[in-house]
Amino acid sequence: MKTFDVIIIGAGVVGCSIALSLARAGIRSLNVDALPAPGYGSTSYSSAIIRPFYSHITACAIAHESRARWQHWSEFLGTADPLGLARYDETGGVILVAEGTESDYAANIDALQAVGVEYHWLSEQDLQQKYPSIQLQSFAPPRRIEDDNFGQSNGQMIRKGIWLDACGHVNDPQLATHNLYHAAERAGVEFRFNTRVTEITQSNTSTAGVVLHTGEKISAPIVINAAGPHSKHINLMAGITNIETRAERHEVAYLKSPGSNMNQQGFLVDLDTGIYQRGDGADVLIGSADPTCDPADVADPDNYSTSLTGQWTQQVYRAALRFPDLAIENTARGTVGLYDVSKDWIPIYDRTDLPGYFVAIGTSGNQFKNAPVIGDIMTRIITAEDPDSVWLTLPNVQREVDLSFYSRLREPQNTKNVMA
Ligand SMILES: Cc1cc2nc3c(=O)[nH]c(=O)nc-3n(C[C@H](O)[C@H](O)[C@H](O)COP(=O)(O)OP(=O)(O)OC[C@H]3O[C@@H](n4cnc5c(N)ncnc54)[C@H](O)[C@@H]3O)c2cc1C
């Protein structure tokens, strides 16, 4: 039987980052993925927005640290991938703030200040100058288009925006994952694709390895669940029932950018209508900010519809409230992907009640950005001498963060959507 120090289930952006970090720490791992190549799972559909705008200091600090790695991607990888390198475009971005809602962002501003991320306020005039076609009425709360009050202004206005220079997006999330995979393989990690894990084995109530769909058994004292939207299934294989995650279906719409060059204006978050958007070539990509009026589209990760549906329609109509010059096309264009959602939309990077079994799951539609750091988070957790006190040093933001923030045992935070 083949033996490794660690088996990682999943070669998405999370699993590949863990593989690279473990290899750099001298730990021999095998990475197994059911799909034919790295990053072919939910990572492929990522909007890949990089932003430090989070309501908790730790989340903000890790995102800002990770951004530095995206900025210096080639140096971070230390290898040249024959497929080329993914590119981080630092476009900047804005969060629209309706009058009377400033306090909703107080925790985010505190986090930016604590971590030392620069931001500034945009006035109504600044917003109008930047986005000539923007409508600044407030339509909150976000509504569904079948609601009679959809599109009715509530009499308030968007008076401000929070502008951040230190954000943007990665042009190709699948290629970024390939880059991590390539660097990890060079560093000695073994990968097996088209290979499904069907069982997690135990010996004396500790993790002993995995069984593959071929029946082959592989042994390792440590197994990491990095299976994205399949995280719940893998947890059940390990007998773990006290960690809650669910797969949620999310559509991202593409519309042609109007003449106002909206596609070149960075990313924009509009919680007033319930969407986020960013440029993508000649298009504007429009995703959902998960307003409470939309029911969660909980899905079976092995059997879900990849067709664009009413979600697409809700999102494009909401975006067109803010930007009436967005032309809604007759034929829906976009992508359908799955989030792996935790109870509070904050990921779970932790050990579990089964010794030797670890999880890097619940990434809740917002952890692509952190992928370059997630590997180090998991390496620290796995190698910690005292598992109850695990800290990670973030050299770029010059902070140490307490990784219990990501504990499976934490009190759920009050974060309720992808913005976390
Ligand atoms: C529509 C959408 C938009 C997003 N936008 C953003 C964004 O703008 N910014 C941001 O930071 N994040 C964003 N995210 C989130 C981010 O993309 C994810 O958090 C991240 O890609 C998850 O990576 P992963 O490796 O955990 O999962 P995956 O990429 O899904 O990888 C998991 C892998 O596990 C494998 N697997 C599962 N079960 C088994 C098994 N039994 N045996 C072997 N292999 C198995 C799968 O084949 C898969 O390849 C978005 C996500 C989606 C879907």
Side-chain angles (χ1 to χ4, degrees):
M1 195 182 349
K2 275 199 121 179
T3 300
F4 292 84
D5 297 333
V6 175
I7 295 169
I8 304 162
I9 305 173
V13 75
V14 170
C16 288
S17 170
I18 297 169
L20 177 59
S21 178
L22 288 175
R24 286 176 173 168
I27 298 169
R28 211 173 137 257
S29 74
L30 168 72
N31 186 309
V32 181
D33 200 294
L35 293 171
Y40 271 35
S42 66
T43 297
S44 293
Y45 306 101
S46 186
S47 303
I49 291 170
I50 310 301
R51 53 150 169 113
F53 196 76
Y54 279 92
S55 55
H56 294 88
I57 293 175
T58 301
C60 173
I62 288 196
H64 203 46
E65 179 73 18
S66 203
R67 168 237 183 195
R69 296 187 182 185
W70 289 116
Q71 278 182 309
H72 305 285
W73 191 229
S74 170
E75 293 90 319
F76 172 69
L77 295 169
T79 52
D81 185 336
L83 293 191
L85 288 186
R87 191 186 67 243
Y88 168 53
D89 290 334
E90 187 146 284
T91 56
V94 67
I95 295 89
L96 300 181
V97 181
E99 55 189 323
T101 67
E102 289 84 353
S103 61
D104 295 353
Y105 302 96
N108 300 68
I109 299 279
D110 286 350
L112 293 173
Q113 288 174 345
V115 176
V117 182
E118 284 184 22
Y119 68 94
H120 61 266
W121 291 95
L122 297 183
S123 66
E124 252 175 286
Q125 290 73 16
D126 296 332
L127 287 167
Q128 218 106 45
Q129 207 168 15
K130 205 162 182 42
Y131 298 97
S133 65
I134 197 167
Q135 293 298 310
L136 290 174
Q137 293 101 324
S138 169
F139 302 102
R143 297 176 198 280
R144 297 183 63 76
I145 52 177
E146 54 272 24
D147 184 324
D148 287 345
N149 289 321
F150 179 82
Q152 298 295 316
S153 167
N154 60 23
Q156 308 279 75
M157 297 293 286
I158 305 286
R159 297 273 184 218
K160 297 179 195 173
I162 303 165
W163 178 264
L164 299 162
D165 281 329
C167 50
H169 63 267
V170 171
N171 69 329
D172 185 339
Q174 200 178 75
L175 179 60
T177 309
H178 194 278
N179 296 159
L180 289 166
Y181 147 78
H182 182 263
E185 200 181 39
R186 280 293 174 90
V189 179
E190 199 173 305
F191 283 83
R192 292 218 201 160
F193 293 104
N194 291 313
T195 306
R196 183 174 284 275
V197 170
T198 54
E199 213 181 299
I200 292 173
T201 54
Q202 297 181 26
S203 163
N204 299 327
T205 66
S206 286
T207 304
V210 299
V211 181
L212 306 179
H213 75 279
T214 53
E216 183 185 354
K217 290 183 178 166
I218 304 181
S219 90
I222 293 177
V223 171
I224 304 174
N225 176 354
H230 286 87
S231 67
K232 182 178 167 182
H233 294 190
I234 303 294
N235 281 343
L236 290 177
M237 284 181 201
I240 298 295
T241 53
N242 62 349
I243 300 179
E244 217 179 282
T245 50
R246 61 182 186 275
E248 266 190 26
R249 206 178 146 280
H250 280 263
E251 298 178 16
V252 174
Y254 284 81
L255 292 181
K256 195 169 176 314
S257 175
S260 50
N261 293 337
M262 201 186 292
N263 56 331
Q264 290 161 26
Q265 299 298 337
F267 91 91
L268 177 143
V269 175
D270 183 6
L271 298 183
D272 189 80
T273 58
I275 57 110
Y276 70 82
Q277 64 187 56
R278 73 159 170 89
D280 193 65
D283 289 327
V284 177
L285 161 170
I286 300 158
S288 174
D290 313 309
T292 50
C293 59
D294 289 351
D297 192 350
V298 177
D300 173 353
D302 290 317
N303 181 22
Y304 65 96
S305 167
T306 54
S307 302
L308 295 164
T309 66
Q311 264 193 46
W312 183 93
T313 315
Q314 299 289 339
Q315 283 161 217
V316 296
Y317 274 84
R318 286 173 183 151
L321 285 180
R322 188 65 65 219
F323 295 102
D325 60 343
L326 269 175
I328 297 177
E329 297 162 20
N330 289 334
T331 307
R333 286 190 296 128
T335 57
V336 180
L338 296 178
Y339 291 178
D340 176 39
V341 182
S342 72
K343 274 201 278 195
D344 57 5
W345 295 77
I346 289 170
I348 304 158
Y349 302 132
D350 201 1
R351 68 190 196 278
T352 66
D353 296 352
L354 173 64
Y357 177 69
F358 292 79
V359 291
I361 62 174
T363 57
S364 304
N366 67 76
Q367 290 293 300
F368 176 84
K369 65 181 67 58
N370 288 341
V373 176
I374 293 170
D376 292 350
I377 291 176
M378 291 308 294
T379 299
R380 286 288 300 129
I381 289 171
I382 288 165
T383 58
E385 277 174 23
D386 177 1
D388 293 321
S389 175
V390 190
W391 293 70
L392 181 69
T393 303
L394 305 176
N396 287 291
V397 299
Q398 299 183 340
R399 283 186 89 87
E400 268 206 298
V401 288
D402 179 354
L403 296 180
S404 68
F405 177 70
Y406 297 113
S407 163
R408 72 201 187 285
L409 303 175
R410 65 181 179 248
E411 276 300 309
Q413 308 275 1
N414 58 5
T415 34
K416 293 187 179 62
N417 60 38
V418 70
M419 291 302 291

